[in-house]
Amino acid sequence: SQTIHQWPATLVQPVGSPLSLECTVEGTSNPNLYWYRQAAGRGLQLLFYSVGIGQISSEVPQNLSASRPQDRQFILSSKKLLLSDSGFYLCAWSVQGLAGGPGGLKNEQFFGPGTRLTVL
Amino acid sequence: QQPVQSPQAVILREGEDAVINCSSSKALYSVHWYRQKHGEAPVFLMILLKGGEQKGHDKISASFNEKKQQSSLYLTASQLSYSGTYFCGTAYAGNNRKLIWGLGTSLAVNP
């Protein structure tokens, strides 16, 4: 079965410090990978998604970046954190299916446990 | 393009029913429903593809009205465990990998 890991679980960082959050998926290959941010009491904001190694789509221009150095590894980074970067960061994966196949049509997303980031 | 969820919040007594709606101004390819409990990650409930299908999972079911570009989530005989925030995620033709999320409906089930 597939599992998704995120670390760290919680993080408190000063403004201006760098950030690196990691997400790994087990039990599947060539997944779609996603980074979301959720502000307290708010909805899900898609930050980045990736359909393959080195292929990153950025949804929101800001001081964050993402990389996918390996098939099942997705990293979210920042060189200098802002107060507004605080939130709950969620990584998710979905099947990289072909059109007409179950993964291609349905694309259910499965979330990791999340990282709660507080920027002070 | 963001789907509109209604109502924003619902308070139920155990055993009561609720309906949560998710509407789009653009033609939908699929609608996903998730439930998130406080402090936890969202959990996938079900997905509906265009075609007007209806799906069920225990006492939670959903429908997809292609004409209205709307999906409804039905919770019947609610249980305490149903409490949480329900999100719909919508996908559109051309890029079904990416979901656009509603702002959520907060559901509280009281004894």
Side-chain angles (χ1 to χ4, degrees):
Chain A
S1 64
Q2 300 86 9
T3 53
I4 177 169
H5 305 278
Q6 282 186 248
W7 62 91
T10 59
L11 194 58
V12 180
Q13 291 283 95
V15 168
S17 64
L19 173 74
S20 180
L21 302 181
E22 191 163 340
C23 169
T24 58
V25 181
E26 293 177 358
T28 188
S29 59
N30 196 26
N32 296 318
L33 295 171
Y34 307 83
W35 277 113
Y36 290 94
R37 178 170 62 201
Q38 187 175 34
R42 303 295 300 274
L44 294 161
Q45 179 188 30
L46 178 63
L47 302 174
F48 302 94
Y49 73 96
S50 171
V51 301
I53 296 174
Q55 301 178 65
I56 310 291
S57 295
S58 173
E59 293 297 304
V60 184
Q62 53 198 344
N63 67 321
L64 298 173
S65 62
S67 62
R68 185 170 177 172
Q70 299 180 46
D71 181 43
R72 290 169 289 176
Q73 184 185 29
F74 205 21
I75 297 171
L76 183 70
S77 304
S78 174
K79 291 182 180 174
K80 284 187 178 182
L81 283 169
L82 307 172
L83 285 174
S84 57
D85 290 325
S86 293
F88 191 35
Y89 286 81
L90 290 155
C91 180
W93 73 274
S94 68
V95 174
Q96 180 76 266
L98 296 174
L105 281 178
K106 294 186 178 178
N107 195 37
E108 299 102 311
Q109 294 186 19
F110 301 98
F111 289 84
T115 294
R116 199 162 298 282
L117 172 67
T118 304
V119 183
L120 301 173
Chain B
Q1 196 173 347
Q2 181 178 46
V4 177
Q5 283 189 239
S6 62
Q8 286 186 310
V10 184
I11 299 175
L12 300 174
R13 296 195 88 104
E14 207 171 358
E16 291 181 337
D17 303 339
V19 180
I20 300 171
N21 296 308
C22 175
S23 299
S24 173
S25 58
K26 194 176 162 184
L28 290 165
Y29 178 84
S30 63
V31 179
H32 303 222
W33 285 100
Y34 291 74
R35 176 171 61 210
Q36 184 179 30
K37 294 195 178 275
H38 184 68
E40 299 178 7
V43 173
F44 173 76
L45 293 176
M46 63 188 77
I47 179 174
L48 296 102
L49 303 177
K50 67 174 185 176
E53 67 175 285
Q54 188 151 356
K55 296 191 92 171
H57 176 67
D58 195 14
K59 293 194 173 98
I60 300 175
S61 61
S63 64
F64 185 169
N65 187 323
E66 200 172 342
K67 222 174 185 180
K68 292 184 180 178
Q69 296 304 324
Q70 176 178 296
S71 177
S72 297
L73 186 72
Y74 306 94
L75 301 106
T76 56
S78 60
Q79 305 167 17
L80 296 176
S81 61
Y82 286 4
S83 293
T85 302
Y86 289 78
F87 290 98
C88 69
T90 52
Y92 301 92
N95 189 354
N96 70 311
R97 296 187 184 101
K98 191 172 84 170
L99 295 180
I100 311 296
W101 298 84
L103 293 179
T105 295
S106 173
L107 177 75
V109 181
N110 297 321

